[in-house]
Amino acid sequence: MATTSAKLDISNNSAVLAKRGMPLRRMLILSVGALLVMLLLGNSVLNIISARHYLQSQLQTHAEDAVTALGMSLSSALSAGDEVTAGLVIDAIYDRGYYEHVILWNAKKEPWIVRYGRDMPDTVPGWFSELMHLQGRQAVSDVSSGWKMLGSVSVKVHPGLMYEKLWETMKVEAAWFGFVLLLSLGALLVVISRTTGPIRALADMASTIGQGDFSVRVAPTGARELQVLALAMGDMASRIDRMNALQVEQIESLRLRLQIDVVTGALNREEFDRKLQAFLDTREGVGHGQLILLQVNDFAEFNNQNGRAAGDQFLEKIYLQIKSRAKKIECFFAGRRTGADFVCFLPGADISEADRITESIVRGVSGLREIRQWCRSDLVHAGVTTVAHTESVADVLANADIALRNAQAAVNNGWQRFQDESHSLPLDTMHKANEWRETLLAAIQDEAVIVHYQPIFAAEDKHVVYCKALSRLSFNGDLVTAGVFMPMAERFELARQIDKAVIAQVIRYLDEKLHYGARIGVSISSEALQDETFLTWLQDIVHKYPAAAHCLFLEISEFLLQRDLSVASNIMGLAAQTGFTVVIDQFGQSTLPFSYLQSLPLKWIKIDRDLVHGIEDRADSRFYLQSITTIAHSQGVKVIAFGIESETEWELLQALGVDAGAGYGLQKPQADITGIDGV
């Protein structure tokens, strides 16, 4: 279990890191793009600096060439004393070039002819001139005639022309830089996309595997190393899938050995008694039920005459007759005691309903070909008794056995009910059917359904995962639990209205208490979930209160999944759209294989009291429960244990890998959620 918990922690940590960390594609684009920009920018800067140095040297060369040519031209003019010609030569040089000044100095070093101050075209931004800062160069040349010094001439070149050339160079570099950058980034995006695409697919595959889905595969594309990795991960997923399937088969086989009668498929004697005891001990479940004890006489004689194989087939047919007729009652369970003795418990069934089912079972078994061929009418008998929480398993079975003996005393095939004034249904003698109907309708109409809250604590740090909403009705000053009135509500087809009343009350409560961070779970009846109008109503109300919907947990019975898995798919789809969480209630109670966990996007399953009851004293139950948590965790599903009655049970369940728990041993239901520790 430590390994499984470690895997879950790693998966959670990976999800957190995935949200915090930068995607590989973005990281590669930013890093390689930054390097590319620095490379291109550095190259452009070096080119501009090199051009600046070249143009700076060109300024000096240009000044020296100009002053040398001017000195030679002025020598001939000045030697002839022609000052006018000298001025014209200077004007020609000054007007045709970029010069700050041209000055002719006489022999005494006094300015003779001066040209300066001509404006230059301003085509370069000022910031660029300041940044480049070219210095105008000055050159001086002597003017002589033979060995006679006539004077000197100085020329200073204006840097404006060089600024223009440098500015044009920079614009070309910028255009080239942008073109190369865009081209390089485009190529980079293509390369990175082709590289990270397979990596992203592999990451998604790893995440899917971490959530327990081993069916996904990734085509081997991209670099050779990535292709090898894709093949290796696919092979690993296949191996893990086969291992999980084998583990599920082994646990299913274990369940059959521990709980199921291998001949008929019914519960064995020990498992039936354990489930019945758990029902009698529960405080929030259905408050009553009916137990049917069926016996086919002289089964040993049938075995001797027809052989064991025929006897096994006969027993299986008997169980199928019981199962087909009792399935009208949700959460029923039936078992085989010994020989051809069968027992069936109908939780929440009233007397008239149980009597009809018993009559149907007796007729169905009596009509089997094996019974008819026996040519006897005194073989099939049954006894029925009402079950209340105040009784023990031994007392219930004893009462049913008394009724069975009375039926056998009547000789012909038939059944009898155990007659005792103390065995009427709770409140039944005071509250007849019509009165129940009126009470329920009034509670629905007046919104008088009361909700109490029982916290479900996390095993890790004992924070409240969510609070289970438990409905109550006020009757004669007392609060009646749902276990008492819900069977009557189902009988009068009012369960949907009760569910609506509870859900509406819880959602409004959540909407008002959002600042508390409260989360509440509500059990929905199978009758409601199979009704399209109810699902439409549910969709409307969760859309109306979207924030509250994200704090809502809806519990659906595993028995409903056994009847119609598509109903679960519909509610899962609605949950994905609106944000509420679906919890599978009464997990492990139906005959569904555990492999269905792979087909539904579940986060939580809830184990009922009958799997928790007596777990301290039963090593086989502990191993079975630990196996359930192992399978659930391998699919990324967390496990809740319900009906915990002691701190010892809670500690043991935590050691077996249970993720959360609830029960009177942890905290009793409260009338207000604010009174719950840890909310």
Side-chain angles (χ1 to χ4, degrees), residues 177-406:
F177 171 82
F179 172 73
V180 174
L181 179 62
L182 290 176
L183 186 64
S184 302
L185 287 177
L188 178 64
L189 285 174
V190 172
V191 172
I192 290 178
S193 296
R194 290 186 177 181
T195 303
T196 57
I199 295 176
R200 186 166 54 250
L202 290 171
D204 293 340
M205 177 181 178
S207 177
T208 305
I209 290 174
Q211 295 172 4
D213 183 1
F214 303 101
S215 61
V216 65
R217 295 293 183 272
V218 173
T221 57
R224 180 173 58 187
E225 291 81 359
L226 294 178
Q227 295 183 33
V228 172
L229 181 59
L231 293 173
M233 288 185 64
D235 182 62
M236 177 192 69
S238 298
R239 291 174 181 269
I240 296 176
D241 196 20
R242 288 194 295 269
M243 291 171 58
N244 280 345
L246 179 61
Q247 186 181 41
V248 170
E249 289 178 5
Q250 291 174 343
I251 295 175
E252 290 286 354
S253 177
L254 172 66
R255 178 169 73 163
L256 291 176
R257 291 198 302 270
L258 293 179
Q259 302 179 353
I260 306 300
D261 175 60
V262 296
V263 174
T264 62
L267 297 176
N268 58 32
R269 183 188 189 113
E270 293 77 11
E271 181 64 17
F272 182 90
D273 290 353
R274 188 179 67 82
K275 288 175 73 70
L276 182 58
Q277 186 63 58
F279 170 84
L280 296 173
D281 291 342
T282 189
R283 308 191 196 199
E284 290 295 335
V286 177
H288 62 274
Q290 304 289 327
L291 186 133
I292 304 170
L293 181 61
L294 177 77
Q295 185 178 79
V296 177
N297 298 328
D298 297 334
F299 176 70
E301 180 182 343
F302 180 90
N303 254 349
N304 293 333
Q305 293 179 359
N306 299 278
R308 184 169 181 174
D312 290 348
Q313 291 179 358
F314 180 36
L315 291 175
E316 185 177 4
K317 289 181 180 180
I318 296 174
Y319 173 64
L320 290 176
Q321 290 292 323
I322 297 173
K323 181 179 177 181
S324 64
R325 287 158 172 79
K327 67 181 182 181
K328 300 175 183 178
I329 305 299
E330 187 171 349
C331 302
F332 88 95
F333 51 93
R336 177 180 170 225
R337 309 296 292 176
T338 183
D341 293 1
F342 290 83
V343 63
C344 179
F345 181 64
L346 308 174
D350 58 24
I351 292 176
S352 60
E353 193 170 21
D355 290 350
R356 288 194 299 271
I357 291 174
T358 306
E359 176 70 24
S360 177
I361 290 173
V362 171
R363 287 186 178 181
V365 174
S366 300
L368 291 175
R369 178 174 56 84
E370 289 82 354
I371 297 292
R372 295 199 309 270
Q373 289 178 350
W374 220 330
C375 298
R376 290 175 56 182
S377 60
D378 59 345
L379 295 175
V380 183
H381 301 91
V384 190
T385 184
T386 298
V387 179
H389 283 303
T390 55
E391 299 175 288
S392 66
V393 172
D395 290 340
V396 171
L397 292 173
N399 294 338
D401 188 64
I402 292 173
L404 174 64
R405 301 308 164 199
N406 291 336

Side-chain angles (χ1 to χ4, degrees), residues 605-640:
I605 59 174
K606 193 168 77 171
I607 297 173
D608 218 19
R609 171 66 186 166
D610 55 352
L611 286 178
V612 176
H613 178 72
I615 198 169
E616 307 103 311
D617 305 320
R618 296 189 59 182
D620 53 354
S621 294
R622 292 195 296 271
F623 180 74
Y624 178 57
L625 185 55
Q626 187 177 33
S627 300
I628 289 178
T629 59
T630 301
I631 291 176
H633 289 165
S634 70
Q635 305 299 321
V637 179
K638 294 185 178 182
V639 180
I640 301 170

Side-chain angles (χ1 to χ4, degrees), residues 56-73:
Q56 184 71 66
S57 65
Q58 283 295 101
L59 284 173
Q60 183 65 39
T61 302
H62 183 60
E64 292 176 352
D65 290 344
V67 79
T68 301
L70 185 58
M72 293 178 64
S73 300

